[in-house]
Amino acid sequence: MEPRQEEQRGPEGNMSEVGEKKRRSAEDGAERSSDLSRDQLNLAATFVSDAQYNRNIPFDSSPQAVRLYLLYNHSLLHVLVYIFILVDLSLALFEEPAVVSLPLWATSAMELVCLLAFTVRMVHFAKVIPHRTFFRDPKNLCIIIIITLCLIDMIIYAALYASGHSSVRWSRVLRPLLLVNVTEGRQLRRAFRSIRNALPQILVVFCLFIFSVLMFSLMALKLLGKRNLTTIEGAPYFTNYLDIIFDLYVLVTTANSPDVMMPAYNYSSFFSIFFILYIIINTYTFMSVFLAVVYNNYKKYLKEEVRQLVKAKRQKLCRAFSLLQESVGGAGREPVVSQSRWTELVKRVQPSISSAHRELLWNVLDHNNAGHIGKQAFVQVADLLNIQVITLKSRPHPLQLWIPAVYDCTASALVRRIVQHRVFVYVFDAIILVNAVFIGLDEEDPLVSNAEWAFLTLYLLEILMKLYTFEPRAFFARHQFWNWFDTIIIVSALLATIINAALKSSGGYTSRQVLDIVFILRVLRLIRVVDTIPSFRAIISTLIKIGPPMLTFGQLILVVYYIFAMVGMELFKGKVQFFDTGSEDPAQEYCGNPMLKGSAFARNNYCKNNFNDVVSSFILLLELTVVNQWHVLTGGFTAVTHISARIFFVLFHIVMVIIIINIFVAFILEAFFVEYMVGKSDLQTSLEKKIEELNLCVEQHPADGTLVDAMETQDNDMGSSEGVKAKPTLMFKISSKRYRTMDGLLQRMFETETDLSADDGDEEEPENFSNPSFTPA
Amino acid sequence: MEPRQEEQRGPEGNMSEVGEKKRRSAEDGAERSSDLSRDQLNLAATFVSDAQYNRNIPFDSSPQAVRLYLLYNHSLLHVLVYIFILVDLSLALFEEPAVVSLPLWATSAMELVCLLAFTVRMVHFAKVIPHRTFFRDPKNLCIIIIITLCLIDMIIYAALYASGHSSVRWSRVLRPLLLVNVTEGRQLRRAFRSIRNALPQILVVFCLFIFSVLMFSLMALKLLGKRNLTTIEGAPYFTNYLDIIFDLYVLVTTANSPDVMMPAYNYSSFFSIFFILYIIINTYTFMSVFLAVVYNNYKKYLKEEVRQLVKAKRQKLCRAFSLLQESVGGAGREPVVSQSRWTELVKRVQPSISSAHRELLWNVLDHNNAGHIGKQAFVQVADLLNIQVITLKSRPHPLQLWIPAVYDCTASALVRRIVQHRVFVYVFDAIILVNAVFIGLDEEDPLVSNAEWAFLTLYLLEILMKLYTFEPRAFFARHQFWNWFDTIIIVSALLATIINAALKSSGGYTSRQVLDIVFILRVLRLIRVVDTIPSFRAIISTLIKIGPPMLTFGQLILVVYYIFAMVGMELFKGKVQFFDTGSEDPAQEYCGNPMLKGSAFARNNYCKNNFNDVVSSFILLLELTVVNQWHVLTGGFTAVTHISARIFFVLFHIVMVIIIINIFVAFILEAFFVEYMVGKSDLQTSLEKKIEELNLCVEQHPADGTLVDAMETQDNDMGSSEGVKAKPTLMFKISSKRYRTMDGLLQRMFETETDLSADDGDEEEPENFSNPSFTPA
């Protein structure tokens, strides 16, 4: 491991010019730090790293357990766990009813391998943490139970299969729960916990809502049931109480508006008052109240969780501090950590950051240049390491080094001036707009297909000119999203177009797939235009920023979809058949099921919306989430099975639309508000101030009054690092944070509100590193 | 006027026992206050009253102008203005195309009367405020322009009508603008101003959203246009770029999901990816971003407005103070207002409140019993008067006074004990549930109709027993919502049932209308059950509390609906015909318009959804607000006119669904959060503390852990005021505030956030009482 070697070299080896004035004090520290054992340092680094990533695993502090724990946290193993979960989940593609059929032994073998992997991971985890805590943790018990049940189900199924019986693979609904219960599913677990805690309140509103639906239904029965009205299909209108309840429940989803009203409205305009009141009360007011209650409760419990998270983080950092602390200047003084120990720690925690960056961070913590920091400063280290600092090295262009005569000549300078000019951007925006028109035209026209080559050439030229002007490594830096986007799209489009042309000229045959890809890439190219409009860029960058935390929602939705898809497949597989468009089968008319003859489901050609395989199920569930035509889609499945199938669909509606979509909306709202209102954190500000103080900052242009004061707006003003003049060759910039995890965003959301100063409970309960749990008060 | 007489009597006349200890200092004050002129007092009272109701009219301070101004603010005149606006708006019912046709001279005469009334009101206003400010105020100019244009339009229309030509009554779209521009439409004006200020930001997101729709459409055209797919109607699928844009725009409303996807999905499952991405990006993410942006901007500007409102209020109170101030104890001291002057002021501002209540308020302001208050305390008077205090007099039951022997006997006491017992409530809840089952049964059954009489008797008995137990005036106090509700419903049900029975027995004929009313009342009776479940009661009381401010939204929606209905009627009247259900006309099949033959509009029997009169138009617009079947409804009107009619409907969708519904949702969210999180205001707390201190409080039962700590939960625990013991005969309780106006709720929303202490700008610009206007910085 690299950091260990660096440790041997000592801090003198890689001191940059930034820390020059600090060297002396650091050397003093280096002498004193020799008494620190490697195990202690390892343990401290583990605590800091846990604090940084908000891991809350109460691992054993013995050296071998710490080493095992470090292995446990290795990113490769995390990736492996997720791959195995993915494989386990995607087994549904190959098991009956399958998209691609595989024999039973193959899927069973794959499942066994996955289960084995989870077991190994579980055993590893059991070795890391003390035994008594292992069995106290519900998530471990959950995994053990899931693995056992899966095995039992496999054996039963295989036995029945061998004896010619068919059976239900009920354990498949348990698979997505692995995603929740693995150690890495922290954020997902928290989301579920928050939903669970919010449930009682949601239930109260739901009961009141159902009461309101029942009252309206009773009134509808009394007012309309005896009037001998018929629906457009000729069925009696509003005569059965249970049907009325269902119809009015569907009206809450708005799926059957205005159809459900029409017979009564046609009979008398006065009945429209009934439906208007219903829509105002149940569809608008109650649904808004649901959003308010879900939002508020979810936020409340999440806030409490984050509060506990921050507390646990602080405790971990305090433990790290007590491992590293030295006493300077007698017993009466507060214990401190010297720069050398700090440097070793940071090297171990985050080997990837440059020594200059490390020096900068130390400068932020050690205001008074004392050469050591107290506890108060030390506990900031995890947050400080989490701030993304972009190190900009103002390197000369490689061409300038290789062929300085050519690169610095007047013509070359002119080219570079042109590329950096605003007009250059405008010209290419205009080209994109013209291109958009050409894409809209018929591509069979030779003029259009020739123009396509011209556009491709122009785009390629643009990239080459930019690469000529800007330093390539800066151009392709990690945070230059749009440069990467451009280059990848253009190069792919070029390749696809060439392949397409080759295919065409060789056999006169055009591959539809290649052509599709060409078209998609052509259109995607146009997206770049949003980058040149600052207010668009601001919105996009906000959306990109809140993207990663949204992945937790993706997982949440995946879990819910998967469970409902599995149950739906068992209930409805094969009941509705889809016949390929070419088919002449008369059964096509009624989706292969005579019970659907003349139904709205068959009439609307919804045969492909079925539960016959996992992909169709997911698409159907998405359609049910959108809720339009909800009654037609569910009506089809009720017709082919039993009226009680409605329970399945209503349950899905409640879980997905009323709870999860509302949380999704609440989360976007909250994230946007944070972007609008919460400024930089104190630490970020002090880091920025320090960068400025040391005169290492990139020039900041005044923000152009955009929607969100997004720092990304600076990202393509690379010109500023070109005017080298008297500037240092190394510069720093705080990148606006793309929250790598949900935790980061959540903490930022609540950090202004959560006040921990009152109860930081320093060393009081240092062993209590359990996952934060919140019992409703 | 009563208060003037009171003034003569002096404060000694109506001193309650509460203020006994204060009498001396008040008498001192009474002597000194004689030098205060009536005009000054009037002016001060006007300032305080304006502050109380947040009126911002820069009226002339001359005595006659003040008197005119008081008249201008008379509640009767406010009601009259709204009646005239209502009449003016409802003229649309009688003008062509009419619900009830009236001759042109009749509607014109009515309109002239309304316009005259508005002119008179305008002239009155012009007399109240200085001339230079009158013409500077845009809302006055707006009204003048509206009145002029209406007159011109009437003349043109009448002239053309007389000469046999037909013309367009274009001035009708201006009518709802009166609602916005009358002095009383303050809150509505503020809502519009906030929307206008938020528009630029909304526009940015909207442009990006449209850009996204265009990109997706282009991609759809390229990917699907050449595949020769057809829709279920056999039309070519995704071949025309403009049609694709419209189809994908409709998909944002979700109205054509999943139909728009089905042809592509049936062709290949891979195309579902395109639609899934579209739904995730445009339907979910962009719509949430719209909510976030609308919410955030609307809130931001509203906050600024409220800040200015609070500032203006303070200025008015400072002016009132400077009119009333006296100096006590030499020139060096701060000026103060004595109790006597304060009492006279409050009597004039709010003649209705009892002297005991007045004494209580003075006690809150004058902590130190100094007999006078400084400016700091004085400026609280408007907020203090706005806190609703319920005066509870523990009076004995009238029967106890009339027939004490009977009322106090053991049997009577037992009855009262029973009524006050919890089981009494439970028994009647059970009766209601049994009743619900009976309502659901067939009412033709003699058993059921007899049971109905039994239930009515039981309910009546319940009310009578309660009246026997509780003091009738307390039972029917203003805030006892559920008692009123019960009694009104039961008495009406009794009357309607008797009428129904009488009709039935007399001629054997049952009036359908009476029966309908009986049914509605029967079902409404069941609602009472929510009152006995505390968590339901809490939600309901929150909804009732935010009800009145929602009226502003009602007006906002009315204005938008009215304008769109007027335009829609001019564009589409008579194009779609509805034939009564009995009709045999073959044209019924296609809504009387051959262009609709075979269209989805006619097939779905939507003929009654038309713009043929104002009522139908409103119902149709509501259906378009709900957005389901949006494409079918709009498709019908596009078919009978021109494809460009889509512009009208898309515009309505943008205004109504994207902007106003989002604001509605945002407002419910915010109001709920306020109810959840914001506690009582400081002033309320200090008032409550004072009530407790003086031992005049009603016993507070511990809140029963409900959703919102609603004080209404105490409302039906009237038993507490029965145990008279050593309690004073007069008690106070702070009623939980039902925000009479939007202002109250808004101020409560933002009062924790708006900090005015920094810039209260005491006397600096006392003339600047203009309506708060906010220019975007």
Side-chain angles (χ1 to χ4, degrees), chain B residues 162-462:
Chain B
S163 65
H165 293 80
S166 73
S167 138
V168 173
R169 284 300 313 269
W170 47 264
S171 72
R172 302 204 296 176
V173 298
L174 300 174
R175 285 180 195 161
L177 297 181
L178 283 169
L179 210 51
V180 185
N181 286 301
V182 292
T183 337
E184 291 81 1
R186 214 164 47 235
Q187 281 133 32
L188 193 55
R189 240 174 354 256
R190 188 173 315 132
F192 269 104
R193 208 156 44 218
S194 301
I195 291 175
R196 199 189 56 209
N197 287 328
L199 270 188
Q201 298 282 299
I202 295 171
L203 201 69
V204 167
V205 182
F206 189 75
C207 288
L208 191 59
F209 159 70
I210 289 295
F211 177 78
S212 157
V213 173
L214 292 178
M215 285 294 103
F216 271 99
S217 304
L218 192 56
M219 215 177 269
L221 177 69
K222 290 278 118 184
L223 290 181
L224 296 163
K226 292 266 166 142
R227 283 192 152 84
N228 291 321
L229 302 178
T230 55
T231 64
I232 191 152
E233 267 113 18
Y237 178 69
F238 274 12
T239 50
N240 179 310
Y241 187 52
L242 287 178
D243 282 341
I244 297 175
I245 295 174
F246 185 73
D247 280 343
L248 289 185
Y249 185 86
V250 173
L251 186 53
V252 169
T253 72
T254 75
N256 59 358
S257 154
D259 307 87
V260 73
M261 178 178 92
M262 287 319 290
Y265 181 40
N266 285 338
Y267 178 81
S268 160
S269 292
F270 286 104
F271 284 116
S272 64
I273 297 170
F274 174 83
F275 290 96
I276 290 173
L277 273 181
Y278 185 87
I279 287 174
I280 291 174
I281 292 176
N282 287 316
T283 309
Y284 284 108
T285 308
F286 265 110
M287 289 298 131
S288 300
V289 172
F290 270 122
L291 179 57
V293 170
V294 167
Y295 189 0
N296 196 54
N297 278 282
Y298 183 76
K299 204 171 130 183
K300 189 173 82 187
Y301 289 109
L302 215 50
K303 202 149 121 186
E304 178 57 32
E305 296 243 351
V306 169
R307 216 186 63 82
Q308 297 215 15
L309 210 65
V310 174
K311 198 169 155 185
K313 184 200 241 174
R314 215 188 132 83
Q315 281 175 351
K316 271 173 275 183
L317 288 167
C318 289
R319 288 191 71 177
F321 181 79
S322 60
L323 284 167
L324 297 177
Q325 69 187 25
E326 311 156 77
S327 46
V328 169
R333 299 287 195 85
E334 292 276 310
V336 292
V337 166
S338 67
Q339 188 181 2
S340 61
R341 284 192 175 182
W342 187 86
T343 310
E344 281 176 60
L345 176 79
V346 172
K347 269 188 214 158
R348 187 145 302 203
V349 173
Q350 205 152 319
S352 62
I353 66 170
S354 69
S355 53
H357 182 180
R358 209 157 50 223
E359 287 290 335
L360 177 71
L361 298 186
W362 175 260
N363 276 324
V364 173
L365 293 180
D366 184 16
H367 312 285
N368 317 323
N369 298 341
H372 49 73
I373 50 173
K375 194 172 183 174
Q376 210 57 32
F378 183 83
V379 293
Q380 295 184 313
V381 67
D383 289 329
L384 207 53
L385 285 172
N386 271 342
I387 297 175
Q388 260 183 296
V389 176
I390 299 170
T391 316
L392 296 170
K393 293 199 183 107
S394 68
R395 284 177 287 216
H397 198 283
L399 288 178
Q400 199 171 16
L401 297 180
W402 301 337
I403 36 169
V406 178
Y407 194 76
D408 290 336
C409 77
T410 333
S412 162
L414 186 70
V415 168
R416 284 182 281 147
R417 280 263 301 282
I418 290 170
V419 172
Q420 287 180 43
H421 202 275
R422 279 183 162 257
V423 173
F424 184 77
V425 177
Y426 295 152
V427 166
F428 271 91
D429 282 354
I431 290 173
I432 289 175
L433 291 180
V434 174
N435 190 191
V437 175
F438 271 85
I439 293 173
L441 299 174
D442 187 9
E443 68 278 0
E444 307 282 302
D445 191 330
L447 178 75
V448 175
S449 56
N450 287 335
E452 175 57 27
W453 287 106
F455 284 118
L456 266 180
T457 319
L458 278 173
Y459 292 135
L460 214 60
L461 193 70
E462 187 198 5

Side-chain angles (χ1 to χ4, degrees), chain A residues 20-152:
Chain A
E20 202 72 54
K21 52 189 166 180
K22 283 286 165 52
R23 186 179 289 206
R24 202 168 14 82
S25 66
E27 274 166 18
D28 294 355
E31 285 156 36
R32 260 181 284 124
S33 76
S34 52
D35 54 339
L36 186 69
S37 80
R38 186 183 294 171
D39 288 336
Q40 266 179 303
L41 189 64
N42 254 342
L43 187 58
T46 312
F47 280 132
V48 172
S49 165
D50 274 8
Q52 204 185 344
Y53 297 107
N54 281 315
R55 277 192 290 262
N56 281 299
I57 297 168
F59 61 89
D60 225 347
S61 54
S62 66
Q64 58 273 43
V66 171
R67 237 163 272 137
L68 265 177
Y69 181 61
L70 285 175
L71 180 65
Y72 188 81
N73 282 333
H74 198 285
S75 57
L76 191 70
L77 288 182
H78 288 310
V79 172
L80 265 181
V81 166
Y82 276 105
I83 288 175
F84 275 114
I85 291 176
L86 202 69
V87 169
D88 196 31
L89 290 179
S90 56
L91 281 177
L93 290 168
F94 310 110
E95 292 165 338
E96 285 310 318
V99 180
V100 179
S101 240
L102 281 188
L104 182 64
W105 64 262
T107 56
S108 301
M110 273 160 76
E111 186 162 5
L112 270 180
V113 170
C114 292
L115 291 182
L116 191 69
F118 302 136
T119 313
V120 168
R121 181 79 176 155
M122 185 92 296
V123 171
H124 187 169
F125 189 62
K127 295 243 176 251
V128 166
I129 66 169
H131 274 283
R132 58 193 171 87
T133 41
F134 180 80
F135 286 106
R136 240 194 266 148
D137 196 343
K139 68 173 184 291
N140 299 331
L141 296 177
C142 275
I143 291 192
I144 291 171
I145 291 169
I146 292 170
I147 292 176
T148 321
L149 288 178
C150 284
L151 277 174
I152 292 171

